[in-house]
DNA sequence: CCTTGAATCTGTAGTTACTACAGGATACAC
DNA sequence: GTGTATCCTGTAGTAACTACAGATTCAAGG
């Protein structure tokens, strides 16, 4: 049996603040939770996972719509195999591009830290190095 | 000598739409451009690079404030070496975390595509696999 | 030249994804 | 049984766009 938790604890554990949780519920990205007698929301461990997932995805530049589309793969099997494959492949493509851009940025930033560490003053043509022609 | 371009061409080349360019200008993240006699904005190749950079950073989940902080490293050398190092290192840390999260997501998505490809129906505990305890 | 359509201008209003109250009810600790 | 911490609904504000409206300007064809 999983321990149930109030909204405040869910907020703390998932690092999403309370008003955002209620906002996600209104948007339908989080299911309507069970309530206590007095009307307070009750969550469980699965909600912590789902919400953490949403939170991280947002931090990675996915829109709520994209996240919904990812979550829909989990939520119900109302998709044909082909649809799942298409949706998933497209997200995977997107993720690969993000990774590649971040890798470039990482190497430039690391190089900058390195140079700064040596007391070198960088005039840093960072944009050039990252995304230059 | 660099070719100058109107806002429409800048928009096309940087994949940022026109109103967003003007919005960035108002926010001070893009410098006020030169103008023609009649008041039209004139840009050059550097603006294309800067704007593309901003665009990609946005897609990677950086806020405009964070992007400004990154760009400030390029814009002027009004920083001590220590400051540059600190700002840069903190961004680098951030980037590494994003990469690691995206790698996890990539491997799960790839695995899903693989399984779907074989006609297998996935009940996909994707959240679990990605960010499960 | 003159017109006509595409591109640009400023300014305002709408959208997405939060975030921050206000004002009130409930829980829980002493 | 009285604080005070947490929760409730609802509304308003913020960040980062996005989409017009209404006017001007440029550039190409007749």
């Amino acid at each position: 049996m999983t321990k149930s938790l109030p909204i405040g604890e869910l907020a703390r554990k998932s690092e999403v603040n309370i008003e955002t949780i209620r906002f996600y519920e209104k948007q339908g990205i989080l299911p309507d939770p069970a309530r206590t007698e007095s009307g307070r929301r009750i969550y469980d461990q699965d909600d912590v996972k789902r919400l953490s997932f949403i939170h991280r995805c947002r931090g990675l530049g996915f829109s709520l719509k994209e996240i919904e589309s990812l979550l829909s793969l989990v939520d119900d099997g109302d998709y044909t195999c082909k649809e799942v494959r298409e949706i998933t492949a497209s997200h995977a493509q997107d993720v690969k591009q993000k990774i590649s851009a971040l890798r470039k940025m990482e190497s430039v930033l690391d190089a900058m830290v390195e140079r700064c560490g040596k007391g070198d003053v960088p005039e840093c043509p960072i944009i050039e190095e990252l995304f230059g022609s």
Side-chain angles (χ1 to χ4, degrees), chain A residues 102-112 129-130:
Chain A
L102 283 169
R103 282 231 187 89
K104 278 195 202 173
M105 201 180 294
E106 182 188 28
S107 75
V108 174
L109 290 172
D110 283 349
M112 276 183 72
E129 284 182 46
L130 278 176

Side-chain angles (χ1 to χ4, degrees), chain A residues 73-108:
Chain A
L73 296 172
V74 187
D75 285 347
D76 55 30
D78 239 27
Y79 287 104
T80 67
C81 229
K82 190 166 167 257
E83 284 169 332
V84 173
R85 190 187 157 79
E86 278 166 9
I87 294 169
T88 308
S90 135
H91 283 302
Q93 194 50 39
D94 201 16
V95 167
K96 280 175 217 306
Q97 275 167 16
K98 282 176 194 286
I99 289 173
S100 133
L102 283 169
R103 282 231 187 89
K104 278 195 202 173
M105 201 180 294
E106 182 188 28
S107 75
V108 174

Side-chain angles (χ1 to χ4, degrees), chain A residues 16 27 32 34 53 55 65 69 71 73 89 115 118-119 130:
Chain A
V16 171
Q27 301 300 300
D32 288 13
F53 176 77
H55 182 57
K65 261 196 179 159
S69 151
L71 288 173
L73 296 172
R115 266 154 66 202
K118 288 181 190 147
L130 278 176

Side-chain angles (χ1 to χ4, degrees), chain A residues 11-120:
Chain A
R12 198 179 46 70
K13 288 195 176 176
S14 60
E15 295 176 273
V16 171
N17 78 32
I18 292 180
E19 10 273 296
T20 306
I21 295 172
R22 290 195 280 248
F23 170 76
Y24 285 162
E25 181 184 325
K26 213 183 294 177
Q27 301 300 300
I29 202 158
L30 276 184
D32 288 13
R35 300 274 187 148
T36 64
E37 195 85 344
S38 65
R40 297 189 169 199
R41 291 167 178 84
I42 302 168
Y43 298 96
D44 63 19
Q45 216 51 43
D46 281 349
D47 294 309
V48 177
K49 279 177 196 160
R50 190 185 181 88
L51 199 48
S52 301
F53 176 77
I54 295 169
H55 182 57
R56 289 182 209 223
C57 284
R58 288 290 301 136
L60 295 168
F62 291 97
S63 69
L64 287 186
K65 261 196 179 159
E66 288 169 324
I67 296 167
E68 260 201 281
S69 151
L70 273 163
L71 288 173
S72 71
L73 296 172
V74 187
D75 285 347
D76 55 30
D78 239 27
Y79 287 104
T80 67
C81 229
K82 190 166 167 257
E83 284 169 332
V84 173
R85 190 187 157 79
E86 278 166 9
I87 294 169
T88 308
S90 135
H91 283 302
Q93 194 50 39
D94 201 16
V95 167
K96 280 175 217 306
Q97 275 167 16
K98 282 176 194 286
I99 289 173
S100 133
L102 283 169
R103 282 231 187 89
K104 278 195 202 173
M105 201 180 294
E106 182 188 28
S107 75
V108 174
L109 290 172
D110 283 349
M112 276 183 72
V113 171
E114 184 71 15
R115 266 154 66 202
C116 283
K118 288 181 190 147
D120 211 347

